Amino acid sequence: MPFTSLGLAPALAQAAAELGFTAPTPIQSEAIPAVLAGHDVLATAQTGSGKTAAYALPLLQRLAQAEPLTPRRVRTLVVVPTRELAAQAGEVVRSLAQHLPRKPKIAVVFGGVSINPQMMALRGGADVVVATPGRLLDLVAHNALRLSAVEHLVLDEADRLLDLGFADELARVLALLPARRQNLFFSATFPNAVQALANGLLREPLRIDVASAPVEEAVILQQAYLVDSKRRTELLRRLIKTHDGQRVLVFVATQYAAERVAAKLHQGDLFATSFHGGLSQGARQQTLDEFKEKRWDVVVTTDLAARGLHIDQLPVVVNYDLPRSPVDYTHRIGRTGRAGESGLAVSFVTPATEAHWRVIEKRQGLSLPLEVLPGFEPTEEAAPALPTQNDGGIKGKRPSKKDKLRAAAVAAAAAGKPD
Ligand code: AMP
């Protein structure tokens, strides 16, 4: 089915085709006509489902029909949790808009970089602003933009926004928006706090649930190796050599571990570097670009890279440290096997983390043999029965009292305005 049969203008369908999107993904097939018709949308969507184009394409079409901008006015606001996702979503929106007869003005704003160029970019108003919540509020405080005329709001990765502690900022942003607007809500998971936020925001939304059948799930080969904690780097090196010529994304638990493991691999003649929240925004973007350009073979990262990023043809993901939660496991392995390509996700399980691995395995509905590579037979002791500080427990299953209070505040702000 071509994009035009969903009601999209040929200029948008052409731009989509140039990005290699020949046919709509399931979420696009459902969301595009609904957004064009002006409905609110509530979508359970993983990164990899094509959700960015699912909101960008119809919103661009609606903007193309709109009147000229007035100063500092913002028409479409896309709120995202991280700078990387902002840059990435902004890039997709720009590419999709390239053939429109009236080029919409698109601004991408996030913290960690100078605010002045962003203020300049917003001077004459913007058709689309893609923003992280903190910087958005800073720009409002500087009088660089006004949110009172926003017609379309997109919350992308709403669960991540709350996870990262943006509930208060989000409530303040929502309080600045007009009551009459179209709301598009995307989230990979729906814990209570996220559901409460959605309930407060949306009006008779079209519900789209494609999470149960993400395209890439079937093509990710998952493996787990039992290995001593102190021999993981050695095993990792072996694995990287086995997959010579393929890029590898390695997940560890802390920024310190990312630095340490990357340095060890680097000493062993591998093109390895680290990517984590302790680096400057410039350094992060540079590493990401260089990894995409295949200038690094290995990037060692924290959960910062687990969500939202797409790196085409990334065949191998390694959990050097296991993720704290089963949800994070899904996001990490989702970095591979993207857009229908096959991928490999390998988890290192140590005697001390075996019990934690069993929980992840169970929640994922997996049943993987714990493989032991000859020469890597484990000798370390298993973890004591009680949870230790290192295994981190399973987070994110039950909202804490604080989560509930936050969610209530956000929902109240979202619902509190008269229509
Ligand atoms: P997203 O879920 O928006 O992060 O997109 C995931 C990946 O799917 C990106 O690499 C997109 O370029 C790609 N993609 C999005 N829509 C399509 C489509 N209709 N056909 C093929 N690839 C797509």
Side-chain angles (χ1 to χ4, degrees), residues 8-337:
L8 284 179
L12 289 166
Q14 186 193 341
E18 285 170 16
L19 288 179
F21 306 175
T22 41
T25 63
I27 193 168
Q28 290 163 1
S29 302
E30 290 195 55
I32 290 170
V35 178
L36 286 176
H39 294 298
D40 278 10
V41 166
L42 173 59
T44 309
Q46 311 277 352
T47 308
S49 57
K51 66 184 167 62
T52 317
Y55 64 76
L57 282 167
L59 288 180
L60 283 169
Q61 175 143 329
R62 299 202 71 193
L63 286 171
Q65 296 149 356
E67 286 158 23
L69 284 167
T70 49
R72 287 182 293 145
R73 176 184 163 165
V74 175
R75 282 217 173 92
T76 293
L77 176 64
V78 182
V79 182
V80 298
T82 63
R83 307 156 183 187
E84 284 76 17
L85 190 57
Q88 197 169 276
E91 213 176 292
V92 172
V93 178
R94 280 205 182 102
S95 305
L96 291 173
Q98 63 181 318
H99 297 304
L100 288 172
R102 182 181 83 77
K103 290 259 176 323
K105 197 168 150 200
I106 299 156
V108 178
V109 298
F110 47 75
V113 293
S114 165
I115 198 168
N116 291 334
Q118 297 176 356
M119 289 175 65
M120 299 285 279
L122 288 165
R123 257 191 186 162
D127 291 291
V128 183
V129 169
V130 183
T132 52
R135 177 53 60 95
L136 184 65
L137 288 169
D138 286 348
L139 286 161
V140 171
H142 279 82
N143 211 14
L145 54 78
R146 280 191 324 230
L147 300 180
S148 55
V150 166
E151 292 162 24
H152 316 279
L153 169 73
V154 180
L155 287 193
D156 195 354
E157 301 202 354
D159 51 352
R160 191 72 170 151
L161 276 163
L162 297 191
D163 272 359
L164 291 176
F166 285 128
D168 296 341
E169 279 96 340
L170 206 51
R172 285 167 55 207
V173 170
L174 295 175
L176 297 170
L177 300 176
R180 227 172 231 299
R181 57 172 198 260
Q182 183 178 27
N183 301 290
L184 311 179
F185 194 103
F186 295 83
S187 193
T189 57
F190 278 86
N192 292 353
V194 177
Q195 191 59 54
L197 176 61
N199 293 346
L201 270 180
L202 300 163
R203 303 213 166 93
E204 297 173 29
L206 172 84
R207 224 195 132 122
I208 302 176
D209 191 345
V210 293
S212 49
V215 198
E216 68 260 38
E217 229 171 47
V219 292
I220 300 175
L221 174 66
Q222 300 177 54
Q223 291 179 334
Y225 285 105
L226 188 63
V227 57
D228 277 343
S229 175
K230 61 179 186 304
R231 297 195 65 199
R232 286 176 296 172
T233 309
E234 210 181 320
L235 179 61
L236 178 60
R237 217 178 271 139
R238 170 84 67 91
L239 201 83
I240 293 167
K241 291 263 151 68
T242 315
H243 295 278
D244 193 23
Q246 297 183 344
R247 280 170 308 167
V248 180
L249 186 64
V250 179
F251 285 98
V252 293
T254 62
Q255 296 180 0
Y256 172 75
E259 292 288 344
R260 195 176 43 93
V261 173
K264 275 199 201 161
L265 294 175
H266 204 77
Q267 280 162 15
D269 283 349
L270 286 164
F271 286 103
T273 190
S274 61
F275 177 85
H276 55 73
L279 300 170
S280 72
Q281 178 56 24
R284 277 157 61 173
Q285 196 57 51
Q286 190 180 346
T287 302
L288 203 58
D289 291 344
E290 289 172 350
F291 195 41
K292 285 181 181 174
E293 289 161 12
K294 308 193 180 176
R295 287 166 64 189
W296 294 109
D297 295 327
V298 187
V299 165
V300 188
T301 188
T302 59
D303 278 304
L304 175 70
R307 293 224 198 181
L309 297 184
H310 27 82
I311 299 156
D312 290 337
Q313 297 161 342
L314 175 69
V316 184
V317 164
V318 177
N319 288 317
Y320 182 102
D321 286 320
L322 290 178
R324 285 187 64 200
S325 76
V327 172
D328 288 337
Y329 180 82
T330 309
H331 287 294
R332 286 184 180 188
I333 71 165
R335 297 313 95 219
T336 187

